[in-house]
Structure formats: structure tokens, C-alpha cells
Amino acid sequence: MPQIRPALLSVALTLVIAAPAQAANGPGITIENGRTQPVFSYADAVREHVYVESEVDGDADGKLDRVRVDIIRPKESGPGLKVPVIIDESPYYDNSGRGNESERKVYGPDGNLVKFPLFYDNYFVPRGYAVLNVDMLGTTKSDGCPDVGGKADVLGGKAVIDWLNGRAKAYRADGTPAAADWTTGKAAMIGKSYDGTLANAVAATGVEGLETIVPISAISSWYKYQRANGVVYNYDYASWLANYVDTDPEAKCQAVRDQMDAQDGDATGDYNPFWAERDYISGLLGDASKVKASVFVVHTANDLNVKPDNFSVWWQALAARGVPRKIWVGQYQHVDPFDFEGRRDLWVDTLHRWFDYWLLDVENGVMREPRADVQLGPTQWITQRDWPAPFATKVALRPAADGTLGLLPAGKGETASFTDVRMSENAMVADIGTAKDGRVAFTTGALPLSLRLSGTPTADLRVKLDKPTANLTALLVDLGDDTRVDWRTGQGITTLAEEDCHGESTAQDDACYRKVATNVATRPLEIVARGWIDVQNRGSLDTPSPLPVGTYGKVKWLTMPHDYTFKKGHRIALVIAGTDATYSGEAGTGAAVTVDLAKSSVVVPFALSLPLSDMPKDKARFRGPDRIDLPQPERTFDFF
């Protein structure tokens, strides 16, 4: 067989791949080096808008609500050149805006957008994609009322996917029908926070045509967003958020908000039908078993807005069902990966290859790469084949009456007591070695090697109360001076004056955004994992069971997940306390809590692979030049 020079082979492959997507007049979609190329004019792109008819009448005006869809697509797209679609559906286009620079939609005299927020349009339209900015029902220029994760939220976005595939109707501003004859019907949904939540929600319906989603800092269960095992974070939050995103006169949707307040179960904190409707893992409108789209999850372990159990439980449910997936786990707060310092170019390129693979069938190797990118420190990222770290070992750390935390259980009859009072996290972790009425604390000795937590710790306590219930908080703390990501300040980033550009620009919509720098701070401790439970929900989230007064009972729950390295010489602390005033709106119950230390522990998943320099040589088995594994038969972890 004659040899073909690489350059000629690349040209040949480009022609073969591009041929089916060639416009009658003009360029066609072009692939080189496993990526679509910017061959279409952004300035000349078609800008239009339509109103897609949904299945709901959220504002009870007797008419099905219509979803406003703003579209930008290559001028050449149409029956002769069908293109895939990238959708960012959002409730924020006319209030808080999108992205780190809070961009809003800007309309031209014809009612079409002259500025699409974020870089997706600037970057992907020249490469042969349509980009849709969709106003969530009840917001901006869409009809209806927002119902915060419920039926209207879910079915509005689904209707857009249905329209792209010929299963729903749409109309132009003049009332004439609008057909999506310019698309292949293959669609992606992407977005941060509420936008990414809508992507999760629509994917959970199993709608045909949604090929992939990229949920960033997104909710998978609104219960998890506003509850932790019966502990209420905020009261009447759903109605507050609905009112915030709705810029219509307040009276229009007041009845919907009143209904949410009546149904949210704030008085108990229990899981009920209101939350089941807003649960995309195993809920009423859809669940993980219905997901047909691939999923590229991005979340940060210090996100205390959309707390990280929203990604970890969703990720596990997708994995259990074999959903194709990829994940980035960072250490910032509620931050988009576009604003992870030093990774903007990598993010754009990875997203580019992800969309090319799933929407245009470009074989670019993105699915053969390690599945997980994980941030371990301000400037340290690693890749691994999955998340959490494969083969992590679950180690039970056990508190004792002398204040130590180790591997051996406390002696029979050893207890520790505190009162469930409302206390901030800062107060809970201050002066660890000093007794406080509202908490008990236990610490290891100095670690002789670094230990990486990867996954979700479990608090496993045996307690008795002098009242029917109490709120419990468990904190896993790293004690030791270190320079860490300062996610408390600016959510972990500072926005700089200098810009960089990704895509093409017009005078009214440029592709340039300000760079960022990671905020760091040197502090003596870091709260690594935190978790909460109302003791009466220890057996069920929907059926509370008070603990008989004076009787010991098992209380076991998951904390928030993390990926974090406790460094050599640091100490690990376990703090057990009552109501966490930093994250819960509840009052402390005042219950006296007694912990049976002999039957209590926190179980921590430690990754087995550790730097060679940190590993005691008598506990190591070599696996290469710079990494080793703990011995498989014993895994004794006798180094506290």
C-alpha cells in the first residue's frame, strides 16, 4: 500500500468529513486536527428569534406559555447546510446577567440580539454551530411564571429541543410559523448555576435530540440545594428566587409563589412531593435513568452556594447507568471554568472537542482521555481515570474522650457531650483544644505523610438526646498553616484588567473577557468537609422519627464531598456540634447531646497513591519511578 504524507492525509480527511455538510453556496463545516475550523463569518451570521410553544400554562391565562428563543447561526445554514445547536437557557438574562462580567442581552431595532452574553456565540458560530440563548419560562421575554425547578422550568426547555426536532411549534413575532429547517436536531445544553440546572432537568426527561449537556455548578436536586437531611438552609427560598428572576409586575405570579410557600414543607424540612418534582436524580418529572445525553460535569468542592453533593450524587447516578461522562473538580467557590486561572484556553479547547465529538461525530480522542481533571491546590491540577480517585480506601477515624482522633475505638463507656445551640462555623473550629458548650472536637497527631481525601466522608455517630431531636453538624478540618485557595474572597478569583479573546467579534459583541487570578491566603486551618442532619430524619427524609429521649440511636449521614490533601505535619480534626448558623436558618433545639465515642467514627476515603517522598518506606510497594501504592493485604493506616 503506498504511503500518504500526513499533510495530504489531513486534507483528504477534511474534505471527506466536510462534504456532507457543504452549503449550496459558501463554506461547509471544516474539520482539521480533530476540531471544527472558523470558516463562517460571525458578522454576517443570521440573528433571529422565535417563540416556542410549551406544554404548560404557568400563569393560568388560558394559553400555553411560549418560550423566547434568540438564535444566531451561520448565514449559510438552512436546508442545504444543517448545523447542530448549543443552548444556554437562563432566567438571568435581564437581571443579574451571565458570566463574571454580568453580561446581559442587548437588542437591536428589529428585536433581534446584537449582543449574546458569554463567548459561546463568538467562538462556535464561525465553526458551524447555531447558538441559542433561551429565556426560561416566566423570565425576560418568555411567557408564564417561574416555578424554580418545577414543571414549567423543565418543560419549557424540553419544548425547545422538541421544536428543533420537529415535535413542537414555534412562531415569529408576527405570528407566522417558524420551522427549524436549518438544524440537524442535535443539541447541547450548557450553563452555570441555574442555567446548568435547567440542562440537568431537561436531560432527565430523556428527550430525544439532546445529545450532551455541560452542567457547571448546577443543581441536580433542589432539596439538596435547600436542605441537608432535614436541616433547612433558607426559609421560603423558592418563592424568593422566583420573584427575583421574574421582572413582570409582582401580582402576575403571586399565586404561584404563594403555592410554593404552602408546599415547600419548611416547617419540617422533610422531603415531600414539592421537592420530588424538583429532583432530577430520582424525581417525578425525570430521573437519571432516563438520561440519554452525555454529561460533562464541572463543579467546585468549595461551592457553598450550589453545594457539591449536587454534583457528586448526580455523578454517581450517571456512572451507575453507564452514561458517557467527563468531569472537572475545582477548589474555588461558585466559579465558571472559563475563570479558573491558567486553564481558560484548555477549557475552551476541551469544550470545543467535546461538542465536536458529540454533535458532529468528530473522532478527536476526547473520550479516550482521563475522565477527571482535579484541582489539588492553587496551581496544581491532575488528571485521573475517574472521580473520586479509583481504589480509595475508606478509613474510620475514631474519637476518644481524651480529645484524640485515631484508628482504635474509644473505650467502652467513653462519651462526649455538648448542647445543640446555634453556632457559626468559625466558632465551631476556633480553639480546637478548648472545651466549648456547643461542640466537641478531636484531633490526630501530626501526620507523618500527606493524605489525599477523594470523595465523600461519612459521619457515623451513636447519640442520645434529652429532647426528641437535635440538629447535628460534622466538620472535618485540616489543622496546619498553609497557603490555600481563598474561596471566601471573591469566590476565589480576582478579575484583572487585561483581556484575552476566544472567537470573533463585532462592534457590539466582542469575544474578549478579562483575565482572572486565583486568590490565595495563608491560614492555620481549613474546613475540608461539612455535613448536617436533623436527628429525626436519620432513617428517612420524608418520614421523621423522633429519637426516644434518653435512648441511644445510630445517626449516620454523608458530609459534602471534597478532593483535598492533608499535608505531612498537619493534623486532622473532627468537630461535632449542633446547628450551623453559617449555613442554616434554623434555631438550635437546645437539646443536650451525648455521643457514645466507642461506637462513633468518621469514615474518610483516602486515595492510595501518594508521593514517594511522603511515604514511609516500610509501608510502601513500588509502582513506578515516583508513585507507590499502600500494601494491598493490610492497609493498616497505622501512622496517626
Side-chain angles (χ1 to χ4, degrees):
M1 181 176 179
Q3 292 185 338
I4 301 175
R5 287 182 296 173
L8 293 177
L9 179 59
S10 176
V11 171
L13 288 175
T14 297
L15 291 174
V16 169
I17 295 171
Q22 181 70 46
N25 295 296
I29 294 173
T30 304
I31 294 99
E32 294 177 4
N33 300 316
R35 295 162 177 82
T36 49
Q37 298 300 304
V39 299
F40 301 98
S41 168
Y42 178 73
D44 294 336
V46 175
R47 291 167 172 81
E48 58 187 342
H49 66 277
V50 301
Y51 298 88
V52 175
E53 189 171 86
S54 73
E55 304 172 37
V56 297
D57 177 14
D59 52 11
D61 65 355
K63 297 180 293 185
L64 293 176
D65 297 333
R66 293 184 180 181
V67 186
R68 164 82 176 220
V69 180
D70 287 293
I71 303 166
I72 182 169
R73 55 185 175 86
K75 180 182 66 175
E76 294 80 3
S77 61
L81 177 65
K82 294 180 182 292
V83 297
V85 174
I86 298 168
I87 300 168
D88 186 349
E89 182 185 7
S90 179
Y92 293 132
Y93 283 128
D94 68 349
N95 39 70
S96 63
R98 304 312 301 129
N100 187 41
E101 299 178 33
S102 300
E103 291 189 317
R104 298 186 181 189
K105 289 182 174 181
V106 178
Y107 303 87
D110 58 1
N112 294 319
L113 292 191
V114 295
K115 180 177 181 60
F116 285 74
L118 305 177
F119 77 97
Y120 305 135
D121 56 311
N122 308 87
Y123 188 85
F124 285 104
V125 170
R127 289 166 168 79
Y129 289 84
V131 172
L132 277 55
N133 281 184
V134 177
D135 296 340
M136 189 185 82
L137 279 180
T139 69
T140 312
K141 294 182 181 291
S142 287
D143 298 336
C145 293
D147 62 1
V148 185
K151 187 176 180 181
D153 279 16
V154 177
L155 297 184
K158 178 180 178 294
V160 176
I161 306 295
D162 284 334
W163 172 64
L164 294 171
N165 288 276
R167 299 187 299 267
K169 299 176 182 178
Y171 302 89
R172 303 192 183 280
D174 62 6
T176 58
D181 59 359
W182 43 264
T183 180
T184 62
K186 288 188 173 184
M189 293 185 73
I190 186 172
K192 177 193 166 196
S193 199
Y194 209 141
D195 304 19
T197 302
L198 295 169
N200 282 341
V202 175
T205 69
V207 62
E208 295 284 350
L210 183 59
E211 302 296 323
T212 191
I213 62 171
V214 185
I216 301 165
S217 302
I219 297 165
S220 60
S221 161
W222 285 85
Y223 183 87
K224 290 185 180 299
Y225 182 56
Q226 283 302 305
R227 304 282 190 271
N229 304 301
V231 175
V232 177
Y233 296 149
N234 301 287
Y235 290 98
D236 293 333
Y237 181 85
S239 63
W240 175 87
L241 183 57
N243 195 38
Y244 173 78
V245 300
D246 187 354
T247 52
D248 291 320
E250 287 205 12
K252 175 185 174 184
C253 294
Q254 187 61 52
V256 174
R257 294 193 296 273
D258 290 345
Q259 185 178 38
M260 286 193 281
D261 286 344
Q263 295 177 346
D264 62 14
D266 277 354
T268 65
D270 297 340
Y271 186 91
N272 63 19
F274 177 88
W275 299 106
E277 182 179 327
R278 294 159 173 81
D279 182 347
Y280 315 131
I281 301 170
S282 57
L284 297 177
L285 296 178
D287 59 65
S289 70
K290 296 183 176 68
V291 173
K292 298 173 183 175
S294 62
V295 183
F296 187 174
V297 172
V298 182
H299 217 107
T300 50
N302 291 312
D303 190 342
L304 276 305
N305 178 351
V306 180
K307 295 178 180 62
D309 57 341
N310 271 280
F311 91 81
S312 61
V313 179
W314 177 238
W315 178 256
Q316 292 165 4
L318 298 173
R321 292 158 177 81
V323 173
R325 63 203 185 280
K326 188 173 180 64
I327 191 168
W328 280 21
V329 181
Q331 286 201 1
Y332 299 93
Q333 234 264 41
H334 199 56
V335 174
D336 191 288
F338 190 74
D339 297 312
F340 291 176
E341 183 186 3
R343 291 180 66 89
R344 181 172 290 181
D345 290 345
L346 178 61
W347 167 247
V348 173
D349 185 64
T350 304
L351 189 64
H352 182 184
R353 292 187 299 121
W354 183 265
F355 285 154
D356 280 356
Y357 180 88
W358 287 104
L359 299 180
L360 286 165
D361 300 317
V362 178
E363 288 294 339
N364 53 26
V366 72
M367 293 303 293
R368 295 193 297 274
E369 297 170 352
R371 183 173 287 151
D373 282 38
V374 183
Q375 185 179 20
L376 297 182
T379 61
Q380 183 186 8
W381 285 80
I382 63 170
T383 60
Q384 59 190 36
R385 65 184 180 87
D386 209 338
W387 189 90
F391 308 115
T393 293
K394 294 182 178 180
V395 178
L397 303 181
R398 305 177 187 277
D402 62 359
T404 60
L405 185 67
L407 299 171
L408 299 177
K412 185 176 181 180
E414 290 189 23
T415 64
S417 299
F418 63 94
T419 303
D420 174 16
V421 295
R422 188 170 164 80
M423 179 182 287
S424 72
E425 277 194 346
N426 286 341
M428 290 178 183
V429 300
D431 303 318
I432 287 287
T434 303
K436 289 191 176 184
D437 290 341
R439 67 105 201 268
V440 290
F442 312 88
T443 64
T444 68
L447 299 177
L449 71 161
S450 296
L451 289 174
R452 177 183 164 208
L453 181 163
S454 183
T456 305
T458 303
D460 188 353
L461 308 180
R462 186 169 183 260
V463 304
K464 71 176 179 180
L465 311 175
D466 67 350
K467 294 186 177 182
T469 194
N471 295 326
L472 298 183
T473 297
L475 305 176
L476 200 64
V477 186
D478 176 21
L479 298 177
D481 285 319
D482 199 8
T483 300
R484 306 174 176 92
V485 175
D486 183 13
W487 53 268
R488 298 167 183 82
T489 302
Q491 302 195 71
I493 60 172
T494 293
T495 304
L496 308 176
E498 183 183 1
E499 292 185 330
D500 59 11
C501 305
H502 294 82
E504 298 182 15
S505 301
T506 64
Q508 294 171 293
D509 191 339
D510 70 46
C512 304
Y513 293 87
R514 295 168 67 183
K515 295 181 179 181
V516 301
T518 299
N519 295 335
V520 296
T522 301
R523 292 195 176 99
L525 61 84
E526 178 80 354
I527 300 173
V528 177
R530 42 176 63 78
W532 311 274
I533 191 170
D534 182 340
V535 170
Q536 65 183 342
N537 288 108
R538 67 196 182 280
S540 171
L541 295 181
D542 55 18
T543 307
S545 176
L547 183 62
V549 171
T551 301
Y552 278 104
K554 185 181 183 68
V555 185
K556 183 178 180 179
W557 75 101
L558 299 177
T559 71
M560 298 295 151
H562 213 301
D563 210 298
Y564 183 92
T565 301
F566 297 90
K567 292 185 177 179
K568 180 179 179 179
H570 288 203
R571 294 179 297 146
I572 300 173
L574 169 65
V575 175
I576 305 170
T579 302
D580 188 338
T582 304
Y583 298 106
S584 173
E586 294 193 20
T589 66
V593 182
T594 302
V595 183
D596 180 354
L597 298 177
K599 296 185 178 180
S600 296
S601 66
V602 58
V603 179
V604 185
F606 286 121
L608 296 184
S609 186
L610 298 164
L612 181 61
S613 59
D614 281 355
M615 176 61 71
K617 298 301 184 289
D618 60 345
K619 299 182 185 299
R621 180 174 297 161
F622 287 89
R623 186 173 57 82
D626 61 353
R627 309 291 286 188
I628 58 172
D629 291 336
L630 292 173
Q632 298 299 309
E634 303 172 323
R635 299 184 184 174
T636 55
F637 283 88
D638 55 349
F639 38 69
F640 288 113

